[in-house]
Amino acid sequence: MIIAPSLLAADFACFGKEAQRADKAGADWLHMDIMDGHFVPNISFGPDAVRVVRPLTKLTIEAHLMCSRPEILLEPFAKAGADRITIHVELGEQVTPLIWKIRSLGKKVGLAINPGTAMSSLEPFLDKVDLVLVMTVNPGFGGQSFITETLPKIQQAFSWRAEKNLKYRIEVDGGINFQTAAECARAGADTFVAGTGLFGQLSLKRAIAKMRKMAKENSPIKELNVELDNSFLSTPRNL
Ligand code: DX5
Ligand code: ZN
């Protein structure tokens, strides 16, 4: 199970220290939300924020690009030190060239899908990505409530992975707390992004450990490796 605190919910006045705090608290990845004020109605931060954080931690940095024109940002984020770059399937025809561009930069590829987008739009890309990000809120802001109707999408991503013998991770993002992390794990998620649900707790360390435990206990995957191996997969339990 991967627990990825989202720095969007961290204290912006001491960004670097917050990244180190997440590292010391046992996070697996750092999730950095990039919002352009166009694809989503909010603006967050750019490649310089990744550049600042990069030397302070060995954690994997995941840049989640909620941006209309990611093509102009891929190289800057790769150079700034992002290890994984996630783009949105809503970009349509741009998706294939963007995936290849991220690969050519030597980075892992994630593909995100919004709550209102049909899973069929994701299917053609499944064998080309390392991670599927099922958005569990409409992107743009931290602190929103989890949308329960997204759970079948996680199950769909999970079934497809087994059927097609693929190895992508299944990540969830938005309104993830201990309870919703357990629900998502039961549906097949293995990678959990949480902002408010982690940084809002008194002890970040205890919160990360608790979320990981809840996820593990509820997962249909009985044994986990860093690289997902389909031989460990079983059918998801009923929700
Ligand atoms: C939402 C972002 C999320 C956000 C999650 O647009 O993609 O990563 O930081 O925040 P919480 O966990 O507070 O819902
Ligand atoms: Zn995100």
Side-chain angles (χ1 to χ4, degrees):
M1 293 290 148
I2 296 284
I3 307 294
S6 166
L7 286 179
L8 196 65
D11 183 351
F12 274 32
C14 46
F15 214 55
K17 280 194 178 137
E18 288 285 77
Q20 287 175 313
R21 187 160 76 93
D23 186 336
K24 284 202 187 82
D28 300 291
W29 296 356
L30 283 178
H31 185 85
M32 297 185 72
D33 286 305
I34 317 303
M35 303 178 180
D36 67 349
H38 188 262
F39 186 82
V40 289
N42 195 7
I43 293 179
S44 56
F45 38 76
D48 281 343
V50 175
R51 207 186 320 279
V52 165
V53 166
R54 182 65 289 172
L56 302 176
T57 173
K58 288 199 166 59
L59 292 181
T60 290
I61 295 179
E62 174 185 46
H64 173 197
L65 303 191
M66 287 158 276
C67 305
S68 298
R69 295 190 57 211
E71 68 277 11
I72 59 171
L73 295 167
L74 299 180
E75 217 165 306
F77 274 104
K79 282 194 178 147
D83 303 291
R84 318 181 63 104
I85 301 180
T86 294
I87 51 154
H88 269 259
V89 75
E90 289 78 17
L91 297 170
E93 285 176 1
Q94 298 178 57
V95 172
T96 300
L98 288 167
I99 289 174
W100 290 115
K101 179 70 183 170
I102 298 170
R103 285 244 177 274
S104 75
L105 292 165
K107 306 298 176 184
K108 296 275 189 191
V109 181
L111 193 55
I113 182 161
N114 284 342
T117 306
M119 283 297 274
S120 53
S121 62
L122 205 63
E123 202 175 359
F125 305 108
L126 293 175
D127 60 348
K128 298 171 186 65
V129 301
D130 304 296
L131 176 145
V132 165
L133 167 51
V134 177
M135 287 305 301
T136 44
V137 298
N138 289 305
F141 300 91
Q144 303 183 73
S145 296
F146 180 81
I147 300 174
T148 311
E149 288 76 11
T150 57
L151 286 170
K153 294 179 126 171
I154 303 167
Q155 285 186 318
Q156 176 70 80
F158 188 89
S159 319
W160 274 339
R161 186 173 67 191
E163 274 165 31
K164 298 171 193 284
N165 200 30
L166 296 171
K167 291 187 173 183
Y168 53 79
R169 288 198 155 270
I170 301 174
E171 183 176 58
V172 286
D173 181 8
I176 301 297
N177 53 34
F178 304 128
Q179 174 61 32
T180 56
E183 288 175 41
C184 291
R186 221 172 295 138
D190 50 61
T191 306
F192 302 81
V193 176
T196 318
L198 291 176
F199 282 101
Q201 299 290 318
L202 233 47
S203 160
L204 186 56
K205 188 174 181 173
R206 275 204 294 275
I208 290 172
K210 183 171 175 184
M211 191 169 284
R212 190 180 288 115
K213 184 168 178 277
M214 299 284 281
K216 265 189 192 166
E217 281 174 1
N218 285 279
S219 174
I221 306 171
K222 288 300 159 226
E223 206 166 326
L224 284 166
N225 285 334
V226 174
E227 285 299 314
L228 281 168
D229 182 333
N230 286 351
S231 64
F232 295 128
L233 303 182
S234 61
T235 322
R237 286 179 231 158
N238 288 334
L239 290 172

